[in-house]
Amino acid sequence: MTDSNSKMPAGMAPGLIALGLATAYLVALLGAEKQAVIISLLVLGIGAVVGAAWLGLFDRVSRSFADHEDALGGSAIVAALALAAYFHEDHFVLLLVVTVLLTSVATLGLNVQFGYAGVLNFAGASFFGVGAYTSAVLNAYTSVPHLIVLPIGGVIAALIGSMLLLPVLRTRGHYAAVVTIAFALLFKTFLEVNDVLGGPQGMQVKGMNILGWSFNDNIEAGGITISFYMGYFLLSLALLIAAFVLVRRLERSWIGLNLDALRLDETAASCFGLDITRWKITAFLIGNFLIGIAGALFGMVGGFVGPNNYTFADSLILVSILLLGGIGNPWGLVVATFIVVVVPEKLQTIQEYRFLLYALMVIGVLLFRPEGLLPRPVRRYFPRWRP
Amino acid sequence: MNPLLQARGLMRRFGGVVALDGLDLDVAANEILGLIGPNGSGKTTFFNVVTGIYGADAGTVTFGGADITRAPSRAVYKAGIARTFQRSRLSLPLSIFDNIMIGNHQHLNQGLWFNLMRRKAFKREFEENYAAARALVEVFEPAMADRLFEPVAGLPMIDRRRIEICRALISAPKLLLLDEPSAGMTHEETAELMDDILLVRERNKNLTIIIVEHEMGVIERITDRCVVLNFGRKIADGPYREVAADPQVQEAYLGVA
């Protein structure tokens, strides 16, 4: 954690400029078609980031974000809406952005577990899959309103996750991680042999339908056609905002302090009255709930779930996003999710080498910036509050 | 008067090593007790058994009349016993304020709804606790009181010790266990720290202290009574001057053949 505790509040300008540049860059990158253009844009992006880091501009941006989080968060929402409006016809780009938003929600959940409580979860994608399967089953066999299906997906992911609690709580560190890896492998096998859930072929998922408005139809408004992904985009954005605010408040509360205390020193924490088990369970369930909700909505977006969509490899990607973005920093996670999801999609030439790219990124970050792209600052319970 | 803390026949073995060998110990309310003895004589083990980090193999510990022998660490803390550690165990990436607040766990509202949704009420509780932490830190080091939101990682040893003691004192415990507070500090720094602890005790007359220390100057100056351990047993008990003159104690320390 770095010290961002200067007496004077930082200005808002660095944050706004960074946000504007990032949005413009994203529009250019997402809109680019030719591989040559995409590669030059990526090289430009990496150069700009390294240069900015070298000049110390990053610190100014992160201080600006720390002191004006609400205003800059609002601007980020506006930027996201503007981006979506620009690509309103483009199915592919909107789907990509929806994927980023929902993956961010899932990594926020993982962040509560690993980043705060220190409980490693290498089955993140499995719980994401639990959410997706929940919406597949509920939408096919019941008439539960689809908006209600989302929290149910979260609850089911938390419930199934609680099967892991006993072994996870009885083991520590790496051993607990191995338990979750075992779960990820078992989960895939379970799905493959389970005919009710479609076996290896998976299941269709009916799309979101709110009060008769089907999300899977394009919207025609005054002569312009808006991609049917726009509804999913708005819903995913709302979900990300809610998850972000929740995780932020959690961090900036006594509970966030409890989780940090037990991650850093269990013995000392229990000598000061902390119930280690209670708080590990709390963090694990909250995390899984977020992952499950994101999965439930993503199932509807994709229209299909299968055992091969949510494998151990995908769980590793979620963990690598955490390492890349900066463990414990929600802003860093969103940025890292963009990088990890968008770059391989746009860069078709390296599709097969995706995992190689992730591995190189993670190794690079661990070597040169061990706390991630945007390290977590020291906790301020109320950022604008001054004694 | 009944003792505040009472140990009877306390046993603790680690494999073949007997760390506590039927230890009997009484601590009266409001006294400052020095716990001394050569390395490996069982002082820190005693603290760890009292605070529930290690279980006792036999014997009992009562605190204020209640049996706490098998109580888990968090129950011992709730009963009113707070401690520091021989090797500083602060959470280095966290701020000074965070570290002190870890010690105030039982007075902080831990409700999920309160913490996440009732942010106004939370802010009031935060401000009250900030004021309390600041007032406590000011006793030890006024300069540090303005820097409560800086990480502990960059601070020198004496400041870390001060924070550890603030963390133990913030919840206003009845009994404070100090495990070698002078470790890693100079004579002057130790003296200063002890004065500050005595100042806190001036304000809170109900504070009882057990201090483990190798620095005999400290023991002589601040303790009312000393208990000397050797091989997990009590070999002397009395005011510092008396136990220091005890031939058995001298033998234990100097290893007279």
Side-chain angles (χ1 to χ4, degrees):
Chain A
M1 295 183 199
T2 53
D3 175 22
S4 61
N5 174 36
S6 52
K7 280 284 149 207
M8 289 293 293
M12 211 163 92
L16 272 180
I17 293 169
L19 197 60
L21 286 175
T23 312
Y25 180 76
L26 261 178
V27 168
L29 182 65
L30 288 170
E33 302 273 345
K34 290 205 185 80
Q35 288 293 299
V37 178
I38 291 169
I39 291 172
S40 351
L41 273 171
L42 287 176
V43 171
L44 179 76
I46 294 169
V49 167
V50 171
W54 193 65
L55 288 172
L57 295 177
F58 260 17
D59 291 337
R60 289 180 61 186
V61 171
S62 61
R63 234 178 303 143
S64 168
F65 263 86
D67 283 339
H68 303 275
E69 185 155 75
D70 293 348
L72 287 171
S75 314
I77 295 169
V78 172
L81 290 171
L83 185 95
Y86 182 81
F87 290 109
H88 65 273
E89 279 181 301
D90 195 327
H91 296 320
F92 175 75
V93 168
L94 282 179
L95 174 60
L96 202 54
V97 175
V98 167
T99 309
V100 169
L101 297 177
L102 293 179
T103 310
S104 297
V105 174
T107 43
L108 282 173
L110 214 55
N111 179 48
V112 173
Q113 299 173 333
F114 178 47
Y116 299 154
V119 180
L120 263 170
N121 180 357
F122 279 112
S126 305
F127 294 117
F128 198 76
V130 169
Y133 268 98
T134 305
S135 44
V137 172
L138 288 183
N139 290 7
Y141 300 116
T142 70
S143 54
V144 179
H146 292 173
L147 272 181
I148 311 284
V149 168
L150 302 181
I152 295 178
V155 170
I156 303 266
L159 280 178
I160 293 184
S162 58
M163 289 195 322
L164 285 187
L165 281 174
L166 214 58
V168 163
L169 289 171
R170 289 171 66 103
T171 47
R172 277 189 188 188
H174 307 312
Y175 298 100
V178 171
V179 171
T180 63
I181 293 175
F183 177 82
L185 301 176
L186 282 174
F187 178 72
K188 183 167 178 265
T189 314
F190 168 79
L191 292 175
E192 276 170 349
V193 299
N194 191 316
D195 288 334
V196 181
L197 295 175
Q201 271 77 44
M203 287 177 86
Q204 300 279 342
V205 190
K206 276 196 211 158
M208 171 71 75
N209 189 323
I210 302 174
L211 300 172
W213 172 31
S214 168
F215 272 42
N216 287 24
D217 298 332
N218 285 341
I219 307 158
E220 304 284 343
I224 27 174
T225 311
I226 299 175
S227 161
F228 67 93
Y229 281 119
M230 189 58 89
Y232 286 116
F233 166 79
L234 293 172
L235 196 55
S236 307
L237 184 65
L239 193 60
L240 177 59
I241 295 167
F244 196 99
V245 171
L246 180 85
V247 170
R248 257 297 188 232
R249 285 187 175 185
L250 187 81
E251 190 213 338
R252 291 171 172 171
S253 74
W254 306 134
I255 295 175
L257 175 61
N258 291 345
L259 300 184
D260 280 333
L262 78 86
R263 180 186 78 246
L264 293 164
D265 190 338
E266 271 188 32
T267 307
S270 56
C271 278
F272 291 102
L274 240 102
D275 186 341
I276 305 288
T277 310
R278 174 183 168 193
W279 294 112
K280 272 192 181 172
I281 292 178
T282 305
F284 197 77
L285 294 186
I286 291 177
N288 261 17
F289 180 71
L290 290 177
I291 296 170
I293 290 188
L297 184 52
F298 194 73
M300 296 189 210
V301 174
F304 169 77
V305 282
N308 285 322
N309 296 36
Y310 309 107
T311 59
F312 178 55
D314 298 297
S315 297
L316 284 182
I317 293 180
L318 292 181
V319 175
S320 66
I321 291 174
L322 219 58
L323 295 175
L324 190 64
I327 295 166
N329 186 345
W331 287 109
L333 297 185
V334 177
V335 171
T337 312
F338 261 106
I339 297 173
V340 167
V341 173
V342 172
V343 170
E345 276 307 324
K346 291 304 287 185
L347 212 55
Q348 293 295 337
T349 37
I350 59 139
Q351 267 287 345
E352 292 110 276
Y353 304 103
R354 219 151 45 101
F355 283 95
L356 186 68
L357 181 78
Y358 294 145
L360 287 177
M361 278 201 284
V362 169
I363 292 171
V365 162
L366 290 179
L367 275 178
F368 299 110
R369 225 178 144 82
E371 288 183 283
L373 292 176
L374 299 174
R376 174 180 175 190
V378 155
R379 180 193 340 272
R380 307 296 307 263
Y381 293 82
F382 297 92
R384 313 265 284 167
W385 185 86
R386 291 288 184 278
Chain B
M1 209 179 95
N2 285 331
L4 178 70
L5 184 82
Q6 188 174 55
R8 281 293 170 269
L10 210 54
M11 294 284 286
R12 172 71 205 193
R13 292 183 202 87
F14 295 99
V17 180
V18 184
L20 293 178
D21 188 6
L23 178 66
D24 294 331
L25 189 77
D26 287 344
V27 186
N30 305 332
E31 82 171 323
I32 300 184
L33 176 76
L35 196 57
I36 56 180
N39 282 327
S41 60
K43 306 177 300 281
T44 297
T45 305
F46 174 68
F47 277 10
N48 286 341
V49 170
V50 168
T51 54
I53 293 176
Y54 298 153
D57 294 325
T60 57
V61 184
T62 58
F63 180 65
D67 187 343
I68 57 163
T69 319
R70 313 247 172 278
S73 299
R74 61 173 198 278
V76 174
Y77 162 82
K78 284 214 175 82
I81 301 180
R83 68 172 293 177
T84 66
F85 296 88
Q86 190 173 358
R87 272 183 54 233
S88 164
R89 292 191 87 139
L90 292 170
S91 298
L92 297 184
L94 302 185
S95 66
I96 299 173
F97 177 75
D98 279 358
N99 272 285
I100 295 175
M101 277 306 113
I102 288 172
N104 208 20
H105 186 75
Q106 64 172 336
H107 297 130
L108 303 176
N109 188 334
Q110 305 291 349
L112 207 55
W113 186 258
F114 172 83
N115 275 278
L116 296 181
M117 296 304 164
R118 300 191 51 214
R119 294 300 282 180
K120 281 219 174 84
F122 177 81
K123 191 169 186 183
R124 273 199 301 279
E125 189 172 293
F126 162 76
E127 280 170 342
E128 285 162 17
N129 278 286
Y130 175 78
R134 194 189 156 96
L136 188 58
V137 169
E138 254 167 1
V139 174
F140 287 85
E141 171 67 10
M144 207 157 64
D146 291 325
R147 300 185 283 138
L148 290 192
F149 290 100
E150 286 179 23
V152 169
L155 297 177
M157 187 48 94
I158 177 153
D159 284 341
R160 293 188 191 186
R161 286 281 175 209
R162 287 166 171 151
I163 296 165
E164 257 205 303
I165 290 168
C166 288
R167 178 174 71 174
L169 285 172
I170 188 84
S171 62
K174 296 192 194 94
L175 174 63
L176 174 65
L177 308 179
L178 293 172
D179 198 350
E180 275 197 57
S182 76
M185 295 198 303
T186 65
H187 282 289
E188 292 72 27
E189 287 173 336
T190 309
E192 204 184 316
L193 194 64
M194 291 305 142
D195 290 339
D196 297 336
I197 292 173
L198 292 179
L199 200 63
V200 172
R201 196 160 163 280
E202 283 289 296
R203 298 178 184 182
N204 174 9
K205 288 285 185 198
N206 292 320
L207 183 64
T208 309
I209 299 175
I210 307 180
I211 176 170
V212 165
E213 189 49 77
H214 283 298
E215 193 78 47
M216 287 308 144
V218 172
I219 292 287
E220 181 175 11
R221 194 156 63 86
I222 77 165
T223 60
D224 302 319
R225 187 166 68 95
C226 282
V227 166
V228 188
L229 300 187
N230 198 22
F231 298 112
R233 257 175 310 213
K234 183 161 81 177
I235 58 166
D237 184 345
Y240 175 76
R241 282 183 191 292
E242 270 175 39
V243 300
D246 191 315
Q248 246 192 309
V249 174
Q250 289 177 350
E251 191 187 315
Y253 266 95
L254 303 171
V256 178

